[in-house]
Amino acid sequence: MSHTEPQPRVLVVEDDPTVAEVVSGYLARAGYAVEHAPDGPDALHRAAVRWPDLVLLDLMLPGMDGLEVCRRLRATAPVPVIMLTALGDEDDRIAGLELGADDYVTKPFSPRELVLRVESVLRRSLGNRPPDAAPARPVLKAADVVLDPADRRAAKQGRELALTLREFDLLAHFLTHPGRAHSREELMREVWGWDFGDLSTVTVHVRRLRAKIEDDPARPRLIQTVWGVGYRFEAGRPEAAS
């Protein structure tokens, strides 16, 4: 990480002091400015004083749980959120993804893996690109959806869409490969960059994306389900001819 660039700020929300110390230490050694909050109210206060670049959020917090913290953060601004969840808490994990969390790590976890997840999410969030990187991809259009990969902005019928990092990357992938059927495993690998993981994560993000770009999410016309395979983005709608 360049010394001339400000350190990305990570807010660690974790009530277990041992876990918080280990996670904070690894993140600090990786070059991040780390702040710790032991509970939800303190996390919201610290975020209000100085907005973080990413929040690492334990779902099992005393008093105000992590889902409520995530809900309140997302209501303020689309800060990237990585959830820390127990191995068997699938319902809570899906609920967190539904609220807009970008990623999750299950306990017990490798601190090194956690740092890699943080790096992955922040790379998308902050738009870090090498100085000699290839030119940004052109603006993508289909039907009444327009997506600008360089500015990381998307709009439908001229109205900007409030997309999370994962939703944006998923939509960009669909727009880049119109008409092609994608398995959930393929989407997880090519969009998430994971070779393993819970496939329900893909299902949740597709459902959230449909709610934002479809005229009728219950009867999707753009992101169609391909039974036994996964999903296909159908760009050949009459509106695209305008």
Side-chain angles (χ1 to χ4, degrees):
M1 190 174 298
S2 172
H3 294 295
T4 62
E5 298 177 359
Q7 292 176 302
R9 296 186 63 257
V10 178
L11 176 59
V12 176
V13 189
E14 170 62 65
D15 64 311
D16 186 321
T18 301
V19 174
E21 182 180 358
V22 170
V23 168
S24 298
Y26 268 84
L27 290 172
R29 285 191 290 275
Y32 298 103
V34 184
E35 193 169 3
H36 171 235
D39 55 44
D42 189 43
L44 295 174
H45 171 72
R46 290 174 183 272
V49 171
R50 189 174 181 188
W51 199 249
D53 294 303
L54 181 142
V55 176
L56 193 59
L57 177 62
D58 186 7
L59 289 188
M60 298 297 292
L61 294 171
M64 182 189 300
D65 66 17
L67 292 177
E68 181 60 23
V69 175
C70 184
R71 183 181 295 109
R72 296 192 187 191
L73 288 170
R74 300 294 303 176
T76 304
V79 60
V81 174
I82 297 179
M83 302 177 299
L84 299 178
T85 70
L87 188 59
D89 293 343
E90 182 177 358
D91 289 344
D92 285 343
R93 184 163 63 247
I94 290 176
L97 293 170
E98 291 279 14
L99 288 173
D102 297 282
D103 205 346
Y104 68 89
V105 177
T106 55
K107 297 179 179 179
F109 54 82
S110 158
R112 178 169 174 76
E113 177 195 353
L114 183 62
V115 170
L116 291 175
R117 293 288 182 90
V118 168
E119 290 175 349
S120 174
V121 171
L122 279 174
R123 189 162 51 244
R124 289 176 167 86
S125 172
L126 301 177
N128 293 334
R129 299 169 63 229
D132 299 327
R137 291 177 296 163
V139 172
L140 303 172
K141 301 179 181 179
D144 49 12
V145 176
V146 179
L147 183 145
D148 186 339
D151 289 341
R152 292 194 69 85
R153 302 178 73 172
K156 177 181 178 181
Q157 296 176 342
R159 297 179 183 176
E160 188 161 355
L161 298 170
L163 302 179
T164 67
L165 298 176
R166 298 299 185 190
E167 292 162 4
F168 185 95
D169 291 340
L170 183 60
L171 179 58
H173 189 78
F174 279 139
L175 288 171
T176 306
H177 304 92
R180 183 174 124 193
H182 308 269
S183 69
R184 291 173 178 83
E185 292 87 350
E186 175 190 348
L187 291 173
M188 180 166 285
R189 182 176 63 252
E190 296 191 7
V191 180
W192 273 247
W194 301 350
D195 290 322
F196 62 92
D198 183 354
L199 294 180
S200 65
T201 302
V202 178
T203 305
V204 170
H205 284 294
V206 167
R207 183 162 62 243
R208 284 182 53 85
L209 185 56
R210 278 173 169 166
K212 296 179 180 181
I213 70 170
E214 298 282 0
D215 294 330
D216 181 1
R219 300 177 63 186
R221 299 178 63 187
L222 288 173
I223 305 176
Q224 298 185 358
T225 298
V226 182
W227 298 110
V229 180
Y231 304 99
R232 178 177 60 239
F233 189 87
E234 204 53 75
R237 296 172 59 187
E239 295 92 328
S242 62

